[in-house]
């Protein structure tokens, strides 16, 4: 038996190289991982500018008390630049975002002044008010985005604000997905007696795509050594990662282990966890290989724990794990000491705290427990039964 943590550490230690970089336009880079640090070549904003629509003045012309009239010498729209220098007693009509004219350091919002013809009457105001200074967002030379960052909308916006049209990101890892088992039938086809429909290839595909990788569907493989051998080798030719479900327990037709021993290198683990004990991890050709358990909940959970961090490391991400947090169990939960257990949980914010309960029956074949849930409840190895009111760890499912 190996612990969940040790299994995770062994798996991540195997992922040596990152996916190759590629240059993408910003419009195609959402969700991708930055391959390089991005320093700024410019100040943002590039000039001091007005934060409001109003009148730019020199602070020397601001009255301490009472009011004063200034001559409006020009109008400046956003994008326009004032060629001259503002003299004493002068004001410039200015729009939000327009560069501050030479000689001015303060802007009156138009709402607090009185304009009559070519003059504007102003009162007391703090020097420097209503201006934005050059470089207040980003300074030239600053490290703006770090390699390994996942590009969210705001990272794309910041890159654009630096004038960048493209970013160097990691290629998406390609993940070949196969189901194994004579009993597994393709949805949409007629199911023979004794068969069940394949659910794993579809939930795993969703997990792969949700993790930012490209899924390659390699179908269902029967429990035949030669066929499985050939199909896995072929899958490894066009993928960075080969993912199977089923065939890793100790039944008569569990062939994944035997095939991988011949075709690649493999570690076959019994992980001290529930559900999802058997797990095969290794390589086939130049691809990483994960043989996940066949039970539908176990295959999703083992993906969450072992495959996604590996895909994220391949993709060059800095953060490899979903952050867990603590919630109050509002019902008792049975637990066997000595293994890490994962319940399907329903997490809600109620009574001023995070509360979690289970979805009901927790069999590892009860896939509908995953649709009712929004998190895994994680109960550590050393714990036994959990009583209502105790604190437990929860790991939210990854949002799409
Ligand atoms: P195995 O590890 O191959 O013995 O499979 C364990 C259990 O998971 C069995 O009940 C299988 O029928 C079931 N199973 C295996 N593969 C799939 C699949 N692709 N979709 C749904 N159930 C599966
Ligand atoms: Mg099987």
């Amino acid at each position: 038996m190996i612990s969940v943590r040790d299994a995770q550490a062994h798996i991540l230690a195997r992922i040596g190289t990152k996916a190759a970089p590629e240059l993408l336009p910003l419009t195609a880079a959402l969700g991708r991982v930055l391959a390089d640090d991005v320093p700024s070549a410019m100040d943002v904003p590039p000039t001091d500018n007005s934060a409001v629509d109003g009148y730019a003045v020199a602070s020397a012309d601001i009255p301490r008390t009472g009011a004063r009239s200034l001559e409006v010498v020009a109008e400046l729209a956003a994008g326009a630049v004032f060629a001259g220098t503002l003299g004493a007693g002068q004001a410039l009509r200015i729009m939000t975002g327009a560069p501050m004219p030479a000689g001015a350091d303060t802007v009156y919002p138009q709402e607090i002044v009185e304009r009559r013809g070519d003059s504007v009457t102003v009162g007391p105001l703090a020097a420097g008010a209503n201006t934005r200074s050059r470089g207040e967002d980003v300074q030239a030379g600053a490290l703006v985005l770090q390699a390994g960052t996942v590009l969210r909308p705001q990272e794309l916006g910041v890159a654009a604000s630096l004038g960048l049209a493209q970013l160097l990101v990691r290629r998406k890892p390609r993940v070949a997905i196969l189901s194994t088992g004579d009993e597994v039938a393709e949805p949409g086809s007629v199911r023979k007696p004794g068969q069940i429909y394949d659910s794993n290839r579809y939930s795993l595909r969703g997990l792969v795509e949700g993790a930012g990788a490209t899924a390659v569907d390699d179908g269902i493989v029967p429990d035949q050594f030669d066929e499985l051998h050939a199909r896995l080798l072929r899958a490894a030719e066009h993928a960075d990662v080969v993912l199977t479900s089923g065939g890793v327990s100790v039944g008569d037709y569990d062939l994944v282990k035997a095939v991988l021993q011949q075709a690649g290198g493999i570690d076959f683990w019994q992980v001290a966890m529930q559900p999802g004990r058997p797990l095969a991890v290794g390589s086939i050709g130049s691809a990483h290989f994960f043989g996940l358990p066949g039970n539908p909940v176990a295959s999703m959970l083992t993906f969450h724990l072992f495959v996604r961090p590996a895909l994220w490391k391949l993709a060059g991400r800095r953060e490899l794990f979903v952050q867990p947090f603590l919630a109050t169990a509002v019902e008792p939960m049975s637990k066997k000491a000595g293994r890490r257990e994962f319940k399907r949980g329903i997490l809600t914010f109620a009574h001023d705290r995070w509360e979690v309960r289970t979805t009901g029956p927790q069999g590892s074949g009860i896939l509908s427990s995953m649709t009712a849930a929004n998190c895994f409840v994680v109960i550590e190895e050393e714990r036994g039964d959990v009583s209502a009111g105790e604190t437990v760890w929860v790991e939210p499912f990854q949002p799409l």
Side-chain angles (χ1 to χ4, degrees):
M1 283 274 199
I2 177 174
S3 71
V4 170
R5 268 180 209 288
D6 285 348
Q8 286 172 328
H10 284 307
I11 286 166
L12 291 178
R14 286 171 164 275
I15 312 285
T17 51
K18 293 172 186 160
E22 64 178 334
L23 202 55
L24 283 188
L26 293 185
T27 48
L30 183 66
R32 292 301 199 89
V33 182
L34 258 188
D36 262 343
D37 288 345
V38 177
S40 178
M42 61 180 279
D43 289 322
V44 181
T47 57
D48 295 345
N49 66 89
S50 177
V52 295
D53 295 325
Y55 294 86
V57 303
S59 50
D61 281 339
I62 297 173
R64 293 261 171 106
T65 55
R68 159 156 203 205
S69 242
L70 302 172
E71 183 198 358
V72 179
V73 292
E75 303 230 342
L76 199 58
V81 176
F82 183 60
T85 299
L86 213 57
Q90 295 185 329
L92 187 83
R93 171 86 174 124
I94 194 168
M95 303 303 159
T96 306
M100 291 295 288
D105 59 11
T106 303
V107 181
Y108 282 91
Q110 61 192 32
E111 295 79 10
I112 67 166
V113 302
E114 218 169 280
R115 171 87 185 254
R116 212 168 270 140
D118 279 346
S119 75
V120 65
T121 306
V122 300
L125 185 67
N130 304 308
T131 63
R132 304 187 285 218
S133 50
R134 169 180 179 157
E136 73 173 19
D137 184 358
V138 177
Q139 291 191 339
L143 173 59
V144 187
L145 302 172
Q146 224 185 317
T149 298
V150 179
L151 297 169
R152 301 171 297 171
Q154 51 269 54
E155 277 80 25
L156 298 176
V158 165
S161 78
L162 308 177
L164 299 174
Q166 299 175 313
L167 287 171
L168 197 65
V169 299
R170 297 279 166 195
R171 285 183 188 279
K172 289 184 173 195
R174 283 170 66 84
V175 183
I177 307 172
L178 303 92
S179 293
T180 71
D182 289 341
E183 82 282 25
V184 181
E186 183 63 27
S189 73
V190 177
R191 188 181 57 86
K192 298 197 197 96
Q195 285 196 310
I196 53 162
Y197 284 119
D198 185 355
S199 60
N200 290 348
R201 239 165 72 245
Y202 295 88
S203 50
L204 289 173
R205 183 192 186 93
L207 287 166
V208 163
E209 291 179 343
T214 301
V216 181
D217 186 351
D218 278 330
I220 301 169
V221 195
D223 290 318
Q224 290 164 20
F225 186 94
D226 292 341
E227 170 93 13
L228 186 59
H229 189 255
R231 297 271 293 273
L232 290 182
L233 282 179
R234 216 182 310 150
E237 282 168 17
H238 59 237
D240 304 300
V241 174
V242 176
L243 207 57
T244 64
S245 65
V248 291
S249 31
V250 291
D252 291 346
Y253 297 95
D254 291 327
L255 296 171
V256 168
K257 182 183 178 186
V259 166
L260 259 289
Q261 272 163 345
Q262 185 164 322
I266 188 141
D267 286 329
F268 186 74
W269 294 334
Q270 295 291 324
V271 186
M273 62 184 281
Q274 170 67 28
R277 201 153 66 128
L279 184 71
V281 176
S283 59
I284 180 161
S286 58
H288 298 282
F289 175 80
F290 291 90
L292 305 184
N295 278 309
V297 176
S299 71
M300 290 194 76
L301 173 62
T302 48
F303 183 97
H304 173 90
L305 291 173
F306 304 116
V307 184
R308 185 164 46 212
L311 292 181
W312 282 357
K313 187 167 180 194
L314 258 180
R317 277 175 70 135
R318 263 177 301 129
E319 301 287 341
L320 303 184
F321 294 99
V322 174
Q323 295 296 311
F325 58 89
L326 290 168
T328 303
V330 292
E331 64 178 34
M333 297 178 189
S334 65
K335 165 70 169 59
K336 248 194 215 156
R339 64 189 191 186
R340 185 168 281 238
E341 289 189 21
F342 298 85
K343 315 278 186 195
R344 270 68 75 208
I346 301 169
L347 182 68
T348 51
F349 192 79
H351 311 106
D352 287 331
R353 60 184 188 177
W354 286 105
E355 295 186 345
V356 69
R357 63 199 159 87
T358 67
T359 55
Q362 296 288 303
S364 61
I366 301 177
L367 186 54
S368 57
S369 68
M370 288 293 291
T371 62
N374 58 7
C375 69
F376 287 116
V377 181
V378 185
I379 310 178
E380 307 92 304
E381 287 78 356
E382 59 278 11
R383 283 176 89 165
D385 289 342
V386 172
S387 316
E390 281 185 41
T391 297
V392 289
W393 287 104
V394 293
E395 283 181 20
F397 292 164
Q398 192 63 5
L400 267 186

